[in-house]
Amino acid sequence: AQKVTQAQTEISVVEKEDVTLDCVYETRDTTYYLFWYKQPPSGELVFLIRRNSFDEQNEISGRYSWNFQKSTSSFNFTITASQVVDSAVYFCALSEADTGRRALTFGSGTRLQVQP
Amino acid sequence: DAGITQSPRHKVTETGTPVTLRCHQTENHRYMYWYRQDPGHGLRLIHYSYGVKDTDKGEVSDGYSVSRSKTEDFLLTLESATSSQTSVYFCAISGPYSYEQYFGPGTRLTVT
């Protein structure tokens, strides 16, 4: 069975600090997809990124960057120069491609609070 | 934004009553999902559908049933609501060529 662990329950930083959210996953599939979602205080779930298991290139999008390492089964998310608007709960998720089911297995989430 | 709506957005019901939540999409996507979100658990899959009349169970399906008679609608039914089903319910869709899912706004259900 697949599993996603987000060990950091809550992180508090001051604006402009860099912060890294950790995600560790377990799967027996050889092909899988990893995701990050953001849930702001308003409650909606916002898709941020998808990563394929066969593509270990890191990705940067503005102040956001993602570090995917198959060797350690980790898919960490870094926010550079954090802003108050980054305050949200962030979820890491995994989808196994081999079964065709495509359902997501979520971590329990990390609540990020950015103080002004 | 993906065209996904959920109704109702909020509902309070009594233990033992049946409840149906509706998810409606305008994207014509094949895959639809129901998740529940509870503190400390993230989101957990209840049921999913991979086409009209094609559904299957997720990890927390006990006490829930689903139906999909049209591509655009996916219904979640609690046959006899219990307090443990108090939760926020999210519907999601995904297209045929991508694995990312797009979520509806959620339904907050309280069972008293």
Side-chain angles (χ1 to χ4, degrees):
Chain A
Q2 54 188 5
K3 184 179 179 182
V4 176
T5 301
Q6 295 180 256
Q8 303 153 309
T9 304
E10 188 161 343
I11 300 174
S12 182
V13 299
V14 176
E15 211 170 15
K16 299 184 182 177
E17 284 186 28
D18 298 346
V19 58
T20 295
L21 309 181
D22 297 333
C23 173
V24 174
Y25 63 91
E26 297 175 26
T27 179
R28 286 178 289 188
D29 276 20
T30 55
T31 303
Y32 52 90
Y33 298 87
L34 295 162
F35 307 83
W36 277 94
Y37 284 84
K38 175 182 180 180
Q39 187 175 43
S42 52
E44 73 270 25
L45 284 153
V46 179
F47 166 72
L48 296 178
I49 189 172
R50 180 194 73 188
R51 212 81 192 116
N52 308 331
S53 56
F54 45 85
D55 181 4
E56 286 194 70
Q57 276 193 341
N58 291 329
E59 184 154 340
I60 298 175
S61 176
R63 296 183 296 107
Y64 294 173
S65 62
W66 292 269
N67 183 349
F68 175 33
Q69 291 194 339
K70 285 180 78 170
S71 60
T72 56
S73 297
S74 64
F75 185 43
N76 295 338
F77 174 27
T78 296
I79 302 174
T80 302
S82 60
Q83 300 176 1
V84 173
V85 293
D86 296 326
S87 296
V89 180
Y90 291 87
F91 292 99
C92 180
L94 167 70
S95 177
E96 293 174 335
D98 294 349
T99 63
R101 195 173 77 157
R102 300 183 172 209
L104 298 179
T105 296
F106 283 84
S108 54
T110 297
R111 181 179 300 277
L112 174 65
Q113 293 194 337
V114 182
Q115 309 289 347
Chain B
D1 288 344
I4 314 168
T5 57
Q6 293 184 230
S7 59
R9 294 293 314 279
H10 301 271
K11 186 170 183 65
V12 179
T13 191
E14 292 184 351
T15 298
T17 59
V19 176
T20 295
L21 309 183
R22 179 183 184 233
C23 176
H24 179 79
Q25 60 146 330
T26 57
E27 305 297 319
N28 201 35
H29 281 347
R30 177 182 175 189
Y31 294 88
M32 298 186 75
Y33 309 82
W34 277 107
Y35 294 88
R36 59 178 288 174
Q37 182 178 19
D38 304 291
H41 290 279
L43 283 84
R44 292 178 293 174
L45 181 68
I46 305 171
H47 281 280
Y48 68 101
S49 170
Y50 46 96
V52 173
K53 299 191 188 303
D54 292 323
T55 65
D56 206 348
K57 296 178 180 180
E59 61 178 305
V60 291
S61 60
D62 287 349
Y64 302 95
S65 62
V66 291
S67 65
R68 192 170 178 199
S69 58
K70 299 185 290 185
T71 298
E72 59 265 34
D73 290 327
F74 192 30
L75 304 181
L76 177 70
T77 297
L78 291 65
E79 302 291 348
S80 177
T82 68
S83 58
S84 64
Q85 293 176 311
T86 292
S87 187
V88 179
Y89 291 86
F90 285 97
C91 173
I93 64 175
S94 69
Y97 305 114
S98 62
Y99 278 75
E100 58 264 30
Q101 295 181 13
Y102 295 93
F103 287 81
T107 293
R108 183 172 296 276
L109 175 68
T110 302
V111 183
T112 61

